[in-house]
Amino acid sequence: MSIETSIGLETGQPYPYRRVELVEPDWTRFPGWRDVTRADWESVQWQRSHCVKNVKQLRDLMGDLLDERFYADLERDQRERATMSMLVPPQMLNTMVPHATPAGPGSLTEAFYGDPLRVYMIPVFSDRRTDWPSHPYASRDSLHEHDMWVAEGLTHRYPTKVLAELLPTCPQYCGHCTRMDLVGNSTPAVDKLKFLAKPNDRLEAMVDYLRRTPSVRDVVVSGGDVANMPWPRLEAFVTALLEVENIRDIRLATKALIGLPQHWLQDEVRAGVERVATLARSRGVALAIHTHANHAHSVTPLVADAARAMLEAGVRDVRNQGVLLDGVNADPHALLDLCFGLLDGAGITPYYFYMCDMIPAAEHWRVSLADAQRLQTAIMGYLPGFATPRIVCDVPFVGKRWVHQVTAYDTERGVSSWTKNYRTSIEAADPEALTRTYDYYDPIHTLPAAGRAWWAERAALDAQLSLT
């Protein structure tokens, strides 16, 4: 990975800003969508019923425009490595290879391999690293959210904020999903966990905890993705939150604003958002939507229409929380292109970029803390301050920390140490919670030779101990 930039010829600046008009790529360039009308494309029912869920459906869509080696590569990944099952809405898939022109058998293969959205939405085996496919300290629940459940699906990590996971499904499954142990269907590599309580009982338990915990003022309503919950049930839950006196901020988390904007453009949903936004304003509560875009190509006119519809319905803000991914956006130009596309084109505020979490089989996506720090420095000064995203490291048992907040950093072994200024819900009686350091680890392949050798020796010792 390189995060170096060249001097822009137009301005003499490292990043030459230019406003780019958003474009909806021509979906009829793919054989399987040759006869799809605009009315079909803008129908949420059509989008949901034509998601690509397996290799056969991708082959039906792309035909021989992709070589057989790509399909074989994908099939192997699904068998051996994938932590998420395939689920790609047409809207999302159409933003892959948007500028490539089909020109016969195999003509899109190399472009598809190199496409940044394909890299994280449809990972293949050859993407993954073979030296260290997973970090030795990778884990299914890398942020220990389940450890901090105060009710099933309700994570209380920060003093004044909670995360409410309403459901375990999304309209699209990203390969790097941090909740890969719970969200989506099981894969050969990962047998997913399941919620045990009935959905209504879980939601009632969440609201009951918030009523009993006046220190909490902020609820992130997530999953999964709230777009997969029938609107009447979601509206009922948000309305119940608005009746809790201590709740002052509610954020609805949805990747569907990017991958399935047709959902948020439905009349029923727009009217429902307007109802809850009006109620929120009357009670002095800020209602916002948080979405997840990782590359400028995914920001299209339909996405802009959906974001504007939500703002017109009365939400306070629409913000983007992306993930820093090698091969996708780990470059200053790519990050700034995305941020300006969101801000100028869709009225979406760039908010955070998280370093990819330490989940299994994710090392090819992760970047080092040092590179994340350089990226943060490189994007400063171009965007308005309110729309300059912070690049953060979500440290296990700590939470998100700006990448320059690190306490100590061994760049040879790739071990960074962090402190925090609050106790999580599982540390009420821990006298050392605010003084100990918590470690985070760079991808081993990014380390100098001495660091890679240290980890290899450690892995060998661990292997010997496991045999004794």
Side-chain angles (χ1 to χ4, degrees):
M1 182 197 73
S2 171
I3 65 164
E4 301 303 320
T5 60
S6 58
I7 298 297
L9 297 178
E10 298 92 336
T11 63
Q13 300 291 352
Y15 176 78
Y17 167 79
R18 64 189 186 284
R19 181 162 184 181
V20 176
E21 293 298 322
L22 303 185
V23 175
E24 208 74 48
D26 178 14
W27 55 85
T28 65
R29 72 192 186 280
F30 297 145
W33 294 335
R34 188 169 290 126
D35 299 322
V36 174
T37 67
R38 179 166 293 278
D40 289 335
W41 191 260
E42 295 180 359
S43 162
V44 68
Q45 290 81 11
W46 187 91
Q47 287 279 331
R48 286 188 184 272
S49 64
H50 288 82
C51 287
V52 171
K53 302 177 183 178
N54 52 53
V55 177
K56 179 185 181 301
Q57 291 177 347
L58 182 64
R59 193 192 302 270
D60 290 343
L61 171 64
M62 304 296 290
D64 63 4
L65 296 178
L66 299 179
D67 288 340
E68 283 301 313
R69 63 186 171 93
F70 180 86
Y71 296 119
D73 205 358
L74 177 56
E75 286 176 335
R76 184 178 180 188
D77 194 72
Q78 290 287 299
R79 288 194 310 269
E80 300 180 26
R81 287 284 188 270
T83 60
M84 300 297 294
S85 54
M86 278 186 69
L87 182 62
V88 191
Q91 173 74 26
M92 198 71 183
L93 212 155
N94 191 43
T95 61
M96 300 177 194
V97 294
H99 307 303
T101 302
S107 59
L108 295 189
T109 305
E110 294 309 318
F112 211 62
Y113 263 116
D115 185 83
L117 281 99
R118 194 285 307 163
V119 164
Y120 76 93
M121 288 301 304
I122 310 178
V124 294
F125 189 84
S126 63
D127 293 336
R128 315 269 186 183
R129 298 200 64 86
T130 55
D131 50 359
W132 297 96
S134 300
H135 194 279
Y137 290 147
S139 63
R140 290 168 49 124
D141 181 17
S142 63
L143 303 181
H144 303 280
E145 290 179 338
H146 297 176
D147 295 330
M148 302 178 199
W149 277 2
V150 289
E152 190 178 56
L154 187 67
T155 298
H156 190 175
R157 179 193 300 175
Y158 303 103
T160 63
K161 299 181 286 186
V162 296
L163 166 70
E165 298 172 80
L166 300 194
L167 72 172
T169 65
C170 294
Q172 67 181 49
Y173 291 141
C174 308
H176 63 276
C177 182
T178 189
R179 298 191 186 116
M180 45 74 58
D181 65 324
L182 176 68
V183 171
N185 301 318
S186 294
T187 71
V190 179
D191 188 21
K192 304 289 176 127
L193 302 178
K194 303 293 182 184
F195 287 131
L196 299 178
K198 295 179 180 179
N200 286 341
D201 292 343
R202 288 198 306 105
L203 271 53
E204 288 176 10
M206 292 180 186
V207 175
D208 181 62
Y209 176 81
L210 295 172
R211 292 191 190 104
R212 293 183 286 105
T213 315
S215 60
V216 175
R217 63 171 302 283
D218 183 352
V219 183
V220 177
V221 184
S222 184
D225 192 310
V226 296
N228 267 24
M229 177 169 277
W231 178 260
R233 290 186 61 203
L234 179 59
E235 183 171 353
F237 181 75
V238 175
T239 301
L241 294 181
L242 289 169
E243 293 171 353
V244 180
E245 182 60 32
N246 43 290
I247 302 304
R248 300 289 90 195
D249 273 284
I250 298 173
R251 294 176 270 172
L252 305 180
T254 173
K255 290 174 287 189
L257 193 76
I258 303 298
L260 192 67
Q262 293 85 349
H263 169 82
W264 294 100
L265 287 167
Q266 295 177 93
D267 291 341
E268 175 196 21
V269 174
R270 293 170 73 161
V273 172
E274 184 172 3
R275 285 192 298 272
V276 295
T278 300
L279 181 60
R281 280 197 307 276
S282 73
R283 300 189 176 182
V285 178
L287 177 70
I289 288 179
H290 283 197
T291 192
H292 180 171
N294 291 325
H295 195 273
H297 286 171
S298 62
V299 186
T300 74
L302 276 171
V303 169
D305 288 347
R308 280 192 288 267
M310 294 299 97
L311 292 168
E312 290 169 1
V315 301
R316 175 178 174 175
D317 204 356
V318 180
R319 309 181 185 109
N320 185 64
Q321 296 187 159
V323 177
L324 200 60
L325 300 167
D326 198 6
V328 178
N329 56 23
D331 171 86
H333 280 214
L335 285 181
L336 287 168
D337 283 350
L338 170 56
C339 291
F340 282 117
L342 291 164
L343 189 62
D344 292 348
I348 298 173
T349 303
Y351 184 39
Y352 282 128
F353 282 101
Y354 288 80
M355 295 178 68
C356 183
D357 291 316
M358 293 176 56
I359 57 170
E363 292 306 276
H364 64 296
W365 284 310
R366 295 205 308 125
V367 301
S368 68
L369 175 65
D371 274 344
Q373 291 172 334
R374 286 193 285 270
L375 281 165
Q376 181 73 85
T377 299
I379 66 173
M380 298 299 290
Y382 288 94
L383 292 148
F386 71 87
T388 300
R390 284 168 286 175
I391 299 178
V392 294
C393 181
D394 216 339
V395 183
F397 291 114
V398 176
K400 53 183 171 290
R401 282 289 185 262
W402 185 42
V403 291
H404 285 91
Q405 282 184 286
V406 64
T407 300
Y409 186 17
D410 180 345
T411 55
E412 180 175 292
R413 296 178 179 179
V415 182
S416 52
S417 299
W418 308 76
T419 58
K420 60 184 177 182
N421 57 332
Y422 47 78
R423 289 180 171 86
T424 66
S425 58
I426 59 176
E427 296 169 321
D430 185 349
E432 298 180 356
L434 304 185
T435 56
R436 76 162 57 90
T437 58
Y438 302 79
D439 290 341
Y440 186 84
Y441 302 92
D442 286 348
I444 294 170
H445 68 271
T446 67
L447 304 180
R452 295 196 303 273
W454 184 85
W455 280 100
E457 180 180 358
R458 183 173 182 145
L461 289 172
D462 288 345
Q464 289 178 10
L465 289 173
S466 69
L467 296 173
T468 59

